[in-house]
Amino acid sequence: MSLTEKEDLVTYELILFLVFQLSVVLGLAAASLAAPSQPPYGYSPPPSYQSPAQYNFDWVVKDDYSANDYGHQESRDGYNTQGSYYVQLPDGRLQKVTYHVDGDSGYVAEVTYEGQAQYQAHQPSYHPTPSYRPTHSPSYHTTPSYHPTPSYRPTPSYRPRPHH
C-alpha cells in the first residue's frame, strides 16, 4: 500500500467517525424534542393556600381483646379549630380532652375523667421453687481434724538502742 493510499484510508475513517458522531448528536436532539414538555395526564396546577383551611375528621379504636379504647375528632374552619380525644386508662377511668383554638387564643384544653380509678391487688405470676433438695446428710465431718502449727517465727532484724 502506498503512502497516498494510507492517507486516503485514514481520511475515509475520520469521515466515517465524524458522520457517526453527527448522527448520534442529531438522534439525541430529535429524541429530546419529541419528548412531551408537560407532565402526563392528570396534571393540575399547584394548590393555592390562600383560602382558609377547612376540614373535619374523626377516628376510633376499640379492641375488647387488648382493652384498647381511644379516639379523636377535630373540625376546622379557618382559624377556628375544635375537637376532642379520649383514652381508656389502665386504671379503668376514661380520660377526655376537649379543646379549641380560635385565632390568637392559643390551644385551650379541658381535661376530664370519668369513673373511679381501680387498682387490682398485686399477684405475682412467677413462684420459683428450688430445683435441688439434698436427700441425705453429708458423709464428711465439717470440723477440721488437722491443726497446723506455724513453722516460721519471725524475728526482728534490728535491735533497739538501749535506753540509759
Side-chain angles (χ1 to χ4, degrees), residues 1-59:
M1 192 184 277
S2 68
L3 183 60
T4 314
E5 290 175 344
K6 287 183 180 178
E7 288 176 350
D8 289 341
L9 185 62
V10 169
T11 305
Y12 179 72
E13 288 176 348
L14 181 62
I15 290 172
L16 280 178
F17 180 70
L18 291 175
V19 168
F20 175 73
Q21 281 186 332
L22 183 62
S23 65
V24 168
V25 168
L26 289 176
L28 289 174
S32 67
L33 290 174
S37 61
Q38 294 182 355
Y41 297 107
Y43 172 76
S44 61
S48 171
Y49 297 109
Q50 302 303 322
S51 62
Q54 188 172 15
Y55 61 83
N56 187 9
F57 74 85
D58 65 300
W59 55 266

Side-chain angles (χ1 to χ4, degrees), residues 77-161:
D77 188 8
Y79 293 107
N80 183 16
T81 305
Q82 49 191 305
S84 64
Y85 56 91
Y86 69 93
V87 62
Q88 186 72 42
L89 299 174
D91 63 9
R93 296 179 296 164
L94 183 69
Q95 179 186 24
K96 287 185 177 181
V97 178
T98 305
Y99 61 90
H100 70 274
V101 179
D102 189 9
D104 294 331
S105 68
Y107 181 82
V108 180
E110 178 185 349
V111 181
T112 59
Y113 294 92
E114 292 180 7
Q116 292 287 54
Q118 298 173 0
Y119 302 101
Q120 296 178 358
H122 176 70
Q123 295 182 6
S125 60
Y126 176 68
H127 302 287
T129 57
S131 61
Y132 170 74
R133 295 179 191 220
T135 57
H136 61 280
S137 62
S139 61
Y140 59 88
H141 300 289
T142 58
T143 57
S145 61
Y146 173 68
H147 299 289
T149 58
S151 62
Y152 172 73
R153 293 197 176 183
T155 59
S157 61
Y158 68 93
R159 298 207 183 256
R161 291 185 184 166

